[in-house]
Amino acid sequence: MPSATLRNHLIARLSSEDRSALTAVATPFDFTLGHVFCEAGDLVTHLYFVDSGIISAVAVMEDGRTVEAYMVGPEGVTSPAAAAASAHTWSRLAAQAPGSARRVEAVRLRALMNDRPGLRTVLADYAVAVQNELEQSAACNALHRADQRFAKWLLRCHDRVEGDTLTLTQEYLASMLGSQRTTVNEAAQTLQKAGAITYSRGRVTITDRAALERVACECYRAGPTPALSA
């Protein structure tokens, strides 16, 4: 699990010169649970290199229903496509777990990338990893059981935060997974019976990670987790 000094893995991969250039134009940004960074359709004016916590990209339907498309922790940066060109986000970006990030203006980041091929390569590699995760998620949502997807999602959260307890209400889980609350409850009960978690009053505690991994679908290993991107 990550240590108490979580720092962004993309920045860590940069050369010392590129790292200094990027951090010189970045500002610290602390965020709380539920903070909304932008809404679907907004022009991306800033990118956030996450040091700790989790930011979720959430697709919002016309009827108000939502489902998480991907999450960003210390392994990545929000809205990676906007690092290459001016772009509007197609999802809502909101904090799923409190933490901190380094905020960079999109126009300044693009200017840096023009002069720094190393930075350009690191961000392009990450953008490809996110695209692969999105493609895998499309199949996952159509083919895998709710308990498998729930286990995958909990593992990805566990990879990105300290400790074994997550504060996640049933309503929030249903929103993130694109499922009804009854479906989330049934999935949670399945994982509890497997001895993988305990779930009570909006708190999920992972009691047996190996058991959770046994339930999770193959898609867990397809995303750009901190372990894979370090």
Side-chain angles (χ1 to χ4, degrees):
M1 292 300 297
S3 71
T5 56
L6 292 174
R7 290 295 180 266
N8 187 269
H9 295 187
L10 296 182
I11 294 177
R13 287 176 53 191
L14 298 173
S15 68
S16 58
E17 294 82 4
D18 288 345
R19 190 180 309 123
S20 295
L22 178 60
T23 55
V25 299
T27 56
F29 189 90
D30 294 330
F31 53 88
T32 58
L33 176 65
H35 176 81
V36 176
F37 295 83
C38 64
E39 292 286 356
D42 286 351
L43 177 69
V44 179
T45 59
H46 294 84
L47 283 79
Y48 297 82
F49 290 82
V50 180
D51 285 323
S52 65
I54 302 173
I55 300 174
S56 288
V58 183
V60 183
M61 301 295 102
E62 290 183 352
D63 62 4
R65 288 182 297 172
T66 62
V67 63
E68 183 180 80
Y70 66 96
M71 67 175 68
V72 184
E75 82 289 350
V77 63
T78 59
S79 306
S86 179
H88 290 76
T89 180
W90 49 266
S91 59
R92 174 189 297 150
L93 294 180
Q96 182 177 300
S100 62
R102 279 170 261 195
R103 182 172 69 173
V104 182
E105 288 185 57
V107 292
R108 299 190 77 173
L109 181 59
R110 289 193 290 269
L112 275 181
M113 290 174 63
N114 288 335
D115 299 326
R116 297 186 174 277
L119 174 61
R120 189 163 60 243
T121 296
V122 166
L123 292 177
D125 287 347
Y126 178 71
V128 169
V130 170
Q131 180 61 35
N132 289 343
E133 182 178 2
L134 290 171
E135 293 175 7
Q136 187 78 20
S137 292
C140 181
N141 291 335
L143 300 175
H144 293 150
R145 300 189 315 269
D147 60 314
Q148 293 176 309
R149 293 190 292 114
F150 190 19
K152 173 197 72 174
W153 190 80
L154 288 176
L155 285 167
R156 289 185 173 176
C157 289
H158 196 221
D159 285 336
R160 292 165 168 85
V161 298
E162 296 179 67
D164 298 324
T165 298
L166 307 169
T167 302
L168 306 163
T169 66
Q170 191 178 61
E171 181 178 9
Y172 184 74
L173 287 169
S175 174
M176 298 307 296
L177 294 171
S179 303
Q180 295 182 349
R181 292 176 64 178
T182 53
T183 301
V184 171
N185 188 51
E186 291 169 358
Q189 289 179 357
T190 298
L191 296 180
Q192 285 194 114
K193 290 178 181 177
I197 67 169
T198 59
Y199 179 48
S200 177
R201 298 183 180 180
R203 294 170 67 88
V204 178
T205 300
I206 296 173
T207 54
D208 188 338
R209 184 180 168 96
L212 199 61
E213 291 178 350
R214 287 194 292 271
V215 176
C217 58
E218 65 203 74
C219 303
Y220 166 61
R221 297 177 295 277
T225 65
L228 292 176
S229 302

